[in-house]
């Protein structure tokens, strides 16, 4: 996302939620005195921003059901091979191929890890609206499975990436072993970020998300190996 798009998202968010002015500056890239605090929780290494000048960490908690911005301003819903089977069955498809043909869209996009490595991804994404086009990929669209009260009609079988928010993940080779890393997505849409002096305040969230992130990342990697998607590095 561009800084302009993130600023537009923040402006919309602030109509309903209070956003810490320091966090706003950080999300807009105007605070550079930031270090990466890494903490390993079970099988995942979390990268938590630490604002050196403020001597505070950026932590997160979810405000659902009062907030469902992540569903109402959805950017992309890449599916794993497990998702394709589970969601296809949930939508009464007897063949996964028919589900893919009618309910998904294949797109190519670029992502970058905090190390700066550019990754070109080709993924099968769930259509957020029935007539979604390739040109709309990556834009904000309200998910068609979201009801008026912020509930998901697919839950608990919604796409794995939905459980992941607001984290993004990547795999690195560490002495021949796959190591899972995770960090935040700062899109300007989530009111759950806050500043704190003690990272222990987020201890339970990190424990809960560690398994979610690990399982999803390995499932996503398996999807690539099974030729449901592809990835290249530049």
């Amino acid at each position: 996302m561009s800084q302009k798009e993130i600023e537009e998202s923040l402006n919309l968010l602030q109509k309903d939620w209070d956003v810490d002015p320091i966090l706003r500056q950080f999300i807009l890239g105007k605070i550079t005195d930031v270090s990466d605090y890494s903490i390993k929780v079970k099988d995942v290494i979390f990268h938590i921003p630490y604002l050196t000048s403020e001597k505070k960490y950026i932590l997160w908690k979810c405000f659902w059901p009062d907030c469902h911005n992540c569903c109402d301003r959805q950017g992309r819903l890449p599916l794993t091979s497990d998702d394709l089977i589970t969601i296809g069955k949930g939508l009464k498809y007897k063949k996964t191929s028919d589900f893919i043909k009618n309910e998904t869209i294949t797109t190519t996009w670029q992502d970058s890890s905090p190390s700066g490595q550019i990754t070109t991804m080709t993924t099968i994404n769930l259509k957020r609206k029935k007539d979604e086009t390739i040109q709309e990929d990556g834009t904000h669209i309200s998910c068609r499975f979201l009801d008026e009260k912020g509930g998901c009609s697919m839950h608990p079988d919604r796409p794995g990436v939905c459980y992941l928010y607001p984290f993004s993940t990547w795999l690195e080779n560490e002495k021949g072993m796959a190591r899972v890393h995770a960090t935040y997505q700062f899109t300007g849409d989530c009111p759950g970020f806050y500043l704190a002096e003690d990272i222990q305040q987020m201890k339970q969230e990190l424990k809960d998300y560690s398994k979610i992130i690990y399982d999803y990342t390995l499932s996503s990697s398996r999807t690539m190996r099974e030729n449901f998607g592809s990835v290249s590095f530049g």
Side-chain angles (χ1 to χ4, degrees):
M1 295 179 66
S2 68
Q3 289 300 99
K4 181 180 179 181
E5 290 173 315
I6 293 174
E7 185 170 14
E8 289 173 352
S9 295
L10 281 169
N11 291 339
L12 284 173
L13 185 69
Q14 287 188 280
K15 291 182 178 181
D16 299 310
W17 297 88
D18 292 329
V19 178
D20 187 304
I22 295 174
L23 274 175
R24 180 185 171 91
Q25 291 292 95
F26 169 78
I27 293 171
L28 290 175
K30 297 180 179 180
I31 293 180
T32 58
D33 191 12
V34 183
S35 60
D36 176 16
Y37 179 81
S38 300
I39 178 171
K40 183 180 178 182
V41 182
K42 296 182 179 179
D43 296 312
V44 176
I45 296 176
F46 289 90
H47 297 266
I48 308 297
Y50 179 75
L51 304 187
T52 307
S53 57
E54 303 295 326
K55 296 183 180 180
K56 291 182 179 179
Y57 300 94
I58 296 179
L59 305 184
W60 172 85
K61 61 182 176 182
C62 182
F63 288 119
W64 188 90
D66 296 322
C67 173
H68 43 80
N69 277 7
C70 52
C71 303
D72 204 35
R73 288 176 57 78
Q74 184 54 248
R76 183 184 291 114
L77 289 173
L79 303 178
T80 67
S81 53
D82 292 340
D83 291 332
L84 294 173
I85 296 170
T86 302
I87 297 172
K89 287 182 178 179
L91 294 179
K92 310 303 181 184
Y93 281 93
K94 294 182 179 179
K95 294 182 179 180
T96 302
S97 58
D98 289 337
F99 165 70
I100 292 174
K101 178 181 178 181
N102 296 314
E103 306 287 353
T104 72
I105 187 168
T106 302
T107 58
T108 297
W109 49 283
Q110 287 192 326
D111 197 8
S112 61
S113 70
S115 64
Q117 187 176 47
I118 302 299
T119 307
T120 300
M121 305 284 291
T122 297
T123 56
I124 296 176
N125 304 326
L126 183 68
K127 287 182 179 178
R128 298 160 296 165
K129 64 178 185 177
K130 271 288 187 179
D131 58 349
E132 182 177 349
T133 65
I134 293 177
Q135 288 71 31
E136 292 175 309
D137 177 62
T139 62
H140 289 301
I141 294 176
S142 182
C143 181
R144 58 189 162 116
F145 299 101
L146 180 69
D147 65 28
E148 293 180 355
K149 295 182 179 180
C152 175
S153 61
M154 283 189 176
H155 187 83
D157 296 325
R158 66 190 191 274
V161 69
C162 297
Y163 288 95
L164 205 66
Y165 192 85
F167 294 97
S168 62
T169 72
W170 69 97
L171 279 171
E172 286 189 354
N173 186 316
E174 186 177 297
K175 298 180 180 179
M177 299 292 291
R179 176 67 68 194
V180 178
H181 294 256
T183 191
Y184 300 130
Q185 301 178 55
F186 290 108
T187 63
D189 297 306
C190 181
F193 293 106
Y194 64 99
L195 298 176
E197 296 179 357
D198 188 356
I199 202 169
Q200 291 299 311
Q201 293 184 39
M202 196 180 164
K203 181 179 179 180
Q204 190 59 51
E205 283 87 354
L206 293 175
K207 287 178 64 177
D208 293 342
Y209 271 76
S210 180
K211 177 174 173 52
I212 294 170
I213 287 170
Y214 184 81
D215 290 346
Y216 173 81
T217 305
L218 293 192
S219 177
S220 179
S221 177
R222 186 176 71 250
T223 298
M224 300 302 175
R225 295 198 302 271
E226 293 173 354
N227 295 320
F228 284 107
S230 62
V231 58
S232 63
F233 300 92

